[in-house]
Amino acid sequence: VSAAALLRLEIDEFHAAYCAALDEDRIADWPRFFAADAIYRITARENEDAGLPVGLVYCEGRAMIEDRALAISKTAMFAPRYLRHFVTNVRVLGTDAATITAAANYLVLQTLVDERTTIQQAGRYFDRFVRVEGHLLLRERHCVYDTLLIDNALVMPV
Amino acid sequence: MPHAEFVWPEEGLARIPDWVYTSDAVYEREIERIFHGRTWNYVALEAEIPNEGDFRRSFVGPTPVVVARGTDGAVHVFENRCAHRGAEFCRQERGNRPEFVCPYHQWTYDLAGRLVGVPFRRGVKGEGGMPPSFRLDEHGPRRLAVATRRGVVFASFCADMEPIEDYLGADILADFDATFDGRPLRILGYYRNTVPANWKMYHENLKDPYHATLLHAYLVTFGLLVAGNKSAMIVDPKGRHGTMASARPDKLEVAPEHRREMRAFHEGLTLADPRILDYVREFSSPWSVTMQTIWPNMVVQRELNTLGTRQIVPKGPNEFLMIWTMFGYAGDSAEMTRHRLRQGNLMGSAGFLGLEDNEAMKFVQDGLAKSRGGAAIVELGGADEGTSEKLITEAAIRSLYRHWREVMEL
């Protein structure tokens, strides 16, 4: 098995663990996938294409990511929901001594009680991974969604 | 519309009947009398279309329009509907072009929305074509009246509107001008979301300072807003527009006597990165927060240093779109821009405040849609109307419905 295939597998495993934390409502675990100086941003494709910097969610550093997890679990009011993340088309775009750059498509389905399951987001992750104590962590996760018109509220991260 | 169905409760403005939010007939009359009536509607920021030929798609009520800067440098607003077959011809969200061509039969419009070309108007070899009596200047999309104030563009289907300054009134204009203070704007980006609720609820939510300390646990837990802060709910003389204003205290903590009433308050929670709460004092205003509702389709958001406009686009009585344009100022440092982006986490459909407002409005519309014959209780603050310095009042909502009932004749 080539080193490239092993890396692909490792990234696939990372996505699976990340999605499981969100799908299983373990929001407190979500910040653990990020390096201390990580950037996490969700933005619409129209902003990305126009070079506009806004984030629907914009976290600078793991502390802000932890604060978002805290707000979702302790202060935010929203209807109960199930989320299901799917990550496919994983591509490693580049590697150097410190960083692995990768991309993947993502799809998030949302189910509310009394309502049909809907596509909440279809988009693409642009990731930069670093290796900390042997494990991959996100130094940057940039989620660019095609689904410009968000259905009411995006409660959980993608 | 059959009047018998639409009887206002005998309690007057202390009640709002459900049909105000759910009736198709009421909604149709709102388009005619409000969005297409005597109102100025927000359509764009001039910073989005700085150069000749720049344009963006927008809406007045549910009606698609194009906002374009003409060769004369002026801003023009016209319906995004081909005069020929009615196609919504401009499909590109924003861009720059010398003219607009409907792709179906290539009828052509200039940057002011005037019909300037019809292919084969004289037919082919003298056969077919338009009748000789057809004149280009008698056809074209409806062109709207345009007003600008400090880089904000408004449009109206009504040709003889009063100046925008008079429409807003002195009190609303003062806080509007504090946000649009003459510094050139820098567009930071857009959010779009649906809200499955009646469009008026968005106005009411921002005329309801009562909810802010109760629904938004984030605000109260981290000390951004507490009962007892200096605040005001400012209403224009006609009751249409509002400014929900509050001044942040120097010390971010909740007085013990207020904690009991606020179930949303969580003692002991602290932020790992409190930079999101920072306030850089940059405005000539006593208020650290002003949330302005400009009737009928605009919100001006100034929450600390996060700034934005929100455009309300109704989609029938039970749903509306929100288009958020987040901005800073052209002179902002890189760090100031990042501060605005960090603070932007409060707003939008994933914002700590924004998502809760959207969820709460959905809950209300669900409640109204699934029951019959109810009415909202709007009695906080007694029968007061107009501007108030109290937080625990619904006076501004009553003012809005006095105006709405007059215009709607309901």
Side-chain angles (χ1 to χ4, degrees), chain B residues 206-219:
Chain B
L206 288 172
K207 291 175 188 293
D208 163 20
Y210 180 51
H211 92 279
T213 58
L214 299 166
L215 173 64
H216 298 311
Y218 189 95
L219 279 183

Side-chain angles (χ1 to χ4, degrees), chain A residues 46-47 52-55 58 60 64 67-68 71 74-79 81 115 148 150-154, chain B residues 94 187-194 196 217 266 271-273 275 338 342 345 349-350 352 356 358-359 362:
Chain A
E46 64 174 327
N47 295 320
L52 297 170
V54 84
Y58 177 91
E60 268 184 20
M64 274 191 85
D67 288 342
R68 179 162 277 273
K74 300 290 190 206
T75 71
M77 190 292 293
F78 53 88
R81 65 200 60 213
E115 294 183 26
L148 299 182
I150 290 186
D151 242 356
N152 202 42
L154 182 80
Chain B
R94 56 187 74 84
I187 306 296
L188 298 178
Y190 301 91
Y191 312 149
R192 296 164 194 272
N193 61 271
T194 61
H266 296 277
L271 295 175
D273 184 350
R275 286 180 299 174
R338 283 167 51 201
R342 289 192 297 264
N345 284 292
S349 58
F352 299 131
E356 294 179 322
N358 292 6
E359 284 287 282
K362 174 174 161 50

Side-chain angles (χ1 to χ4, degrees), chain B residues 207-210 227-234 243-245 287 379-396 398:
Chain B
K207 291 175 188 293
D208 163 20
Y210 180 51
N229 275 14
K230 182 173 158 47
S231 61
M233 185 65 239
I234 300 160
T243 304
M244 189 192 285
W287 309 114
E379 291 195 35
L380 287 167
D384 290 358
E385 291 176 45
T387 295
S388 172
E389 297 196 350
K390 300 189 284 278
L391 271 176
I392 311 303
T393 181
E394 290 161 330
R398 287 186 289 274

